[in-house]
Amino acid sequence: MSKANVRKQILEKNSAIFIKEKEKPLSSQGLFTKHLKRVYPIGLHRSSSSLSLSSVSLSLSQSSNDDSSLTDCSATPLEQKISLALRLISPSERREVPVARNFQTRQQRQQQQQKQDQGSNDGELKRCNWITKNSDKVYVAFHDEFWGVPVYDDIQLFELLALSGMLMDYNWTEILKRKELFREAFDGFNPNIVAKMGEKEIMEIASNKAIMLAESRVRCLVDNARCLLKIAREFGSFSNYMWGNVNFKPTINRYKYPRNVQLRSPKAEAISKDLLKRGFRFVGPVIVYSFMQAAGLTIDHLVDCYRYGECVSLAERPRRHI
């Protein structure tokens, strides 16, 4: 065989190999796309005209070096199109979206905090949530000056116990509006005087339309005054008896929401049971717990109320029972 024929056969063989190598990327296109989907969730479609990217979603943590590694100097047109599509999505721009959202969230939180502190900035005091703009002045004053302040005087304790008992028929606002009428009718709630009231005084109070107390309520107060004097003789004072039930130390609660404030407590139930045994009337657990709140035996101001710290300071002072 001549050298020309050998050279011709070698050229034809090399040409065939070159054609096969050129067709390989097209045959391995499915493998390349499958591998690419593992790295990026990209949907690829073939159309009659050109390649289209239906959806492209990239991880924000992906670096720009990953894009450059997908192409080289020998990239096919398919690879070049994919690389160009990936480069159009800038990771730095994608990162700006959550940053802007986070900034907006912080801004909203600051606005909410400013709204919460608006009351203090405007000079308004933060009170318990059940004190609203529509609350009566006498009720607000009672909350600000008396409710939760420890009381150790027998006359004041008897007055608060009597007013708490009226909660069966009225609310605090209605009771406080007539408090001065009650004081005048019951001689300042002095148990020594009330205990001596006879039938005439009882009927006069019951017939007073301004006071609006039923005869049974009036008789109840007179009987409770007599029972209180018996306790005072036994324990030295009604204050000693009442504060002794809580070991002469107020219960300090830390309630944040009104729904957390209870209507009764095990201690109130125990005191109620003992008072009923001693002859008191209209002193159920709910009434007794309301009395304990008003007399400062338990501190139930909400923690964000301006009176909470003041009442706690009063409660932590050395006991002053008599």
Side-chain angles (χ1 to χ4, degrees):
M1 183 179 295
S2 63
K3 294 182 178 181
N5 293 333
V6 172
R7 183 178 299 177
K8 184 178 180 180
Q9 291 179 359
I10 292 174
L11 289 175
E12 291 176 355
K13 184 177 182 180
N14 290 339
S15 178
I17 294 174
F18 176 76
I19 292 174
K20 291 181 178 181
E21 291 293 330
K22 189 176 180 180
E23 293 175 352
K24 275 187 177 180
L26 295 176
S27 62
S28 61
Q29 179 177 329
L31 179 62
F32 174 77
T33 304
K34 182 178 180 181
H35 174 71
L36 184 62
K37 287 184 178 179
R38 295 179 181 178
V39 181
Y40 300 107
I42 303 175
L44 300 177
H45 296 280
R46 270 202 178 274
S47 62
S48 59
S49 58
S50 61
L51 179 69
S52 63
L53 301 178
S54 63
S55 61
V56 181
S57 176
L58 300 181
S59 171
L60 297 177
S61 62
Q62 190 69 26
S63 64
S64 59
N65 293 333
D66 295 334
D67 298 337
S68 62
S69 64
L70 293 176
T71 59
D72 54 17
C73 58
S74 62
T76 64
L78 174 61
E79 294 174 348
Q80 291 177 358
K81 289 184 179 181
I82 294 175
S83 177
L84 178 61
L86 296 177
R87 287 181 180 179
L88 291 176
I89 304 173
S90 174
S92 59
E93 294 179 359
R94 294 292 296 269
R95 290 191 188 102
E96 291 178 358
V97 177
V99 172
R101 289 177 181 173
N102 291 339
F103 175 76
Q104 187 177 11
T105 302
R106 289 196 299 269
Q107 193 175 27
Q108 290 176 350
R109 290 177 181 175
Q110 291 176 358
Q111 291 176 355
Q112 291 177 356
Q113 186 64 32
Q114 289 176 359
K115 289 181 180 179
Q116 293 176 358
D117 299 339
Q118 187 175 4
S120 57
N121 294 334
D122 295 341
E124 297 180 1
L125 297 173
K126 176 66 176 178
R127 294 180 172 89
C128 297
N129 290 10
W130 50 84
I131 301 296
T132 65
K133 293 181 180 180
N134 299 326
S135 298
D136 195 280
K137 292 182 179 180
V138 294
Y139 185 52
V140 177
F142 179 67
H143 168 274
D144 292 351
E145 301 173 16
F146 302 102
W147 198 73
V149 176
V151 176
Y152 303 93
D153 180 70
D154 277 8
I155 294 178
Q156 294 179 10
L157 288 173
F158 178 58
E159 176 181 329
L160 289 175
L161 183 62
L163 296 179
S164 298
M166 297 178 189
L167 289 171
M168 297 183 64
D169 301 315
Y170 308 103
N171 58 44
W172 270 119
T173 300
E174 295 170 336
I175 294 170
L176 294 171
K177 284 184 175 181
R178 296 197 293 271
K179 184 173 66 173
E180 294 302 323
L181 295 175
F182 294 144
R183 286 178 174 176
E184 182 180 353
F186 292 99
D187 290 284
F189 286 100
N190 187 330
N192 293 286
I193 299 177
V194 176
K196 297 177 182 178
M197 284 184 175
E199 192 69 21
K200 181 180 178 180
E201 290 87 356
I202 292 175
M203 295 306 298
E204 287 179 357
I205 297 174
S207 60
N208 191 331
K209 295 182 179 180
I211 295 178
M212 296 177 62
L213 272 184
E215 180 183 344
S216 60
R217 294 288 189 265
V218 179
R219 294 186 183 278
C220 173
L221 287 176
V222 174
D223 293 340
N224 285 352
R226 294 168 182 169
C227 295
L228 185 148
L229 293 178
K230 293 180 181 180
I231 290 179
R233 287 192 292 268
E234 181 180 351
F235 291 89
S237 67
F238 184 64
S239 178
N240 280 345
Y241 164 79
M242 193 58 65
W243 282 98
N245 281 285
V246 294
N247 296 323
F248 300 98
K249 185 178 181 180
T251 301
I252 301 175
N253 295 313
R254 293 187 56 85
Y255 297 131
K256 188 176 181 180
Y257 303 104
R259 64 176 179 268
N260 301 135
V261 181
Q262 52 192 347
L263 295 176
R264 57 199 293 172
S265 68
K267 181 61 67 176
E269 292 176 356
I271 295 175
S272 171
K273 185 177 180 179
D274 189 66
L275 288 174
L276 291 171
K277 187 185 299 184
R278 293 176 180 274
F280 283 80
R281 290 188 292 163
F282 296 105
V283 286
V286 176
I287 295 299
V288 170
Y289 192 73
S290 297
F291 161 75
M292 294 174 67
Q293 290 174 318
L297 280 83
T298 180
I299 308 300
D300 276 355
H301 282 283
L302 301 184
V303 292
D304 59 350
C305 175
Y306 87 99
R307 285 293 291 165
Y308 178 80
E310 297 176 359
C311 290
V312 169
S313 298
L314 294 173
E316 291 177 344
R317 294 186 307 177
R319 66 184 189 223
R320 295 170 43 202
H321 65 281
I322 53 178

